[in-house]
Amino acid sequence: GQNIDQPTEMTATEGAIVQINCTYQTSGFNGLFWYQQHAGEAPTFLSYNVLDGLEEKGRFSSFLSRSKGYSYLLLKELQMKDSASYLCAALDSNYQLIWGAGTKLIIKP
Amino acid sequence: SQTIHQWPATLVQPVGSPLSLECTVEGTSNPNLYWYRQAAGRGLQLLFYSVGIGQISSEVPQNLSASRPQDRQFILSSKKLLLSDSGFYLCAWSDPLAGDSGELFFGEGSRLTVL
C-alpha cells in the first residue's frame, strides 16, 4: 500500500531551527509537496521537490532523497506565526497526491 | 488574481439530512477542481476531482456526490448524511497548464458536524 509517515507533533523554541521529516512509500514517484496549515484554515503551498537535493526559499528549505524515500522541511529563525501543521504529500505514478496526516509544530517563546 | 471561496464555513446537520457545499473560483478559466475531506489525525482524502464541466471522477465510493454545473463552480452533495461524514471539507483548484506538479489552492474549508 501507499503510505506517508511524519511525526504527529513537534515542539521548538522561537528563534531556533526545526526539521520535520517525512518518509514515503508510493507506487512510483513524481514529486513531493509541503503545505502549511494553520488551525481551522486551509493548507497553503510551501514547496515542491522532484529532484534530489535542497530547495531553499527564505526561512524555509525542503530536501528530497528519492533513493531513500525521504524528505524534510527545515524552518529557520522560528517565529510564533510558524505554529501550524505541516503536511507532506507525494505524487504517485498516477499523479495522485498521497497525503500524510501532518505534523503539528508548536513554537514556544 | 485568482480566488477560491467555499461555503458555508460551518454547519451542524442531523443524521439523514441532505448536504450541499458550494465552491467557486474566480480569475481563472477551466481550472481543475477538487473536493477533499480532512479527518482528525489523518491525511487529506480526495473525494472528487473534475477537469471540466460535467466531468467528475470519484475516488472514494460513499454517499456523497459532486457536480460541476459551471466552469468555476463545484458542488458537494449528499442526500442522507451519516455520522461518519463529519469532518473538514476543502475545495481546491489547480491550473491544468501547470501540469501535475502544480500547486493546489484551497478554499477556506467547511466544518461539518453530523449529529
Side-chain angles (χ1 to χ4, degrees):
Chain A
Q2 307 199 91
N3 193 49
I4 304 285
D5 286 315
Q6 51 181 132
T8 303
E9 186 174 296
M10 298 181 70
T11 302
T13 304
E14 189 177 16
I17 299 173
V18 71
Q19 177 175 312
I20 302 174
N21 296 325
C22 170
T23 58
Y24 61 89
Q25 299 91 38
T26 55
S27 55
F29 178 76
N30 284 296
L32 189 129
F33 290 85
W34 284 97
Y35 282 79
Q36 180 190 58
Q37 185 178 24
H38 286 98
E41 298 182 8
T44 55
F45 171 82
L46 289 177
S47 66
Y48 170 72
N49 295 64
V50 66
L51 300 176
D52 285 355
L54 187 69
E55 297 270 349
E56 297 187 70
K57 193 182 294 185
R59 293 189 299 116
F60 292 8
S61 303
S62 56
F63 171 84
L64 176 67
S65 169
R66 295 177 65 128
S67 62
K68 295 181 179 179
Y70 167 69
S71 173
Y72 68 73
L73 181 69
L74 190 71
L75 291 75
K76 302 177 183 177
E77 301 171 15
L78 286 170
Q79 302 174 9
M80 297 304 293
K81 67 178 182 179
D82 297 330
S83 293
S85 288
Y86 292 85
L87 312 181
C88 173
L91 265 177
D92 69 10
S93 58
N94 294 320
Y95 292 92
Q96 298 280 19
L97 272 175
I98 311 300
W99 293 84
T103 298
K104 182 178 180 181
L105 178 62
I106 300 168
I107 309 296
K108 295 185 175 180
Chain B
S1 63
Q2 302 90 356
T3 60
I4 178 169
H5 182 50
Q6 65 176 100
W7 68 94
T10 59
L11 64 167
V12 179
Q13 296 284 104
V15 170
S17 65
L19 171 73
S20 181
L21 300 178
E22 193 163 337
C23 173
T24 59
V25 180
E26 297 293 334
T28 188
S29 297
N30 198 32
N32 293 331
L33 295 172
Y34 309 81
W35 277 112
Y36 280 93
R37 178 167 58 204
Q38 186 175 36
R42 300 182 65 181
L44 289 172
Q45 179 186 35
L46 180 63
L47 301 175
F48 301 95
Y49 71 92
S50 171
V51 298
I53 296 175
Q55 300 178 61
I56 310 293
S57 295
S58 174
E59 292 298 310
V60 182
Q62 57 207 328
N63 67 320
L64 299 173
S65 62
S67 62
R68 186 170 178 173
Q70 300 180 40
D71 180 45
R72 291 169 292 175
Q73 184 184 28
F74 206 23
I75 298 172
L76 182 69
S77 304
S78 175
K79 292 182 179 179
K80 289 186 178 182
L81 284 169
L82 307 172
L83 286 174
S84 58
D85 291 325
S86 293
F88 191 51
Y89 289 82
L90 289 159
C91 181
W93 75 273
S94 68
D95 182 351
L97 297 179
D100 296 294
S101 60
E103 64 184 275
L104 291 172
F105 299 91
F106 287 90
E108 308 95 327
S110 299
R111 174 78 57 190
L112 170 65
T113 303
V114 183
L115 301 175

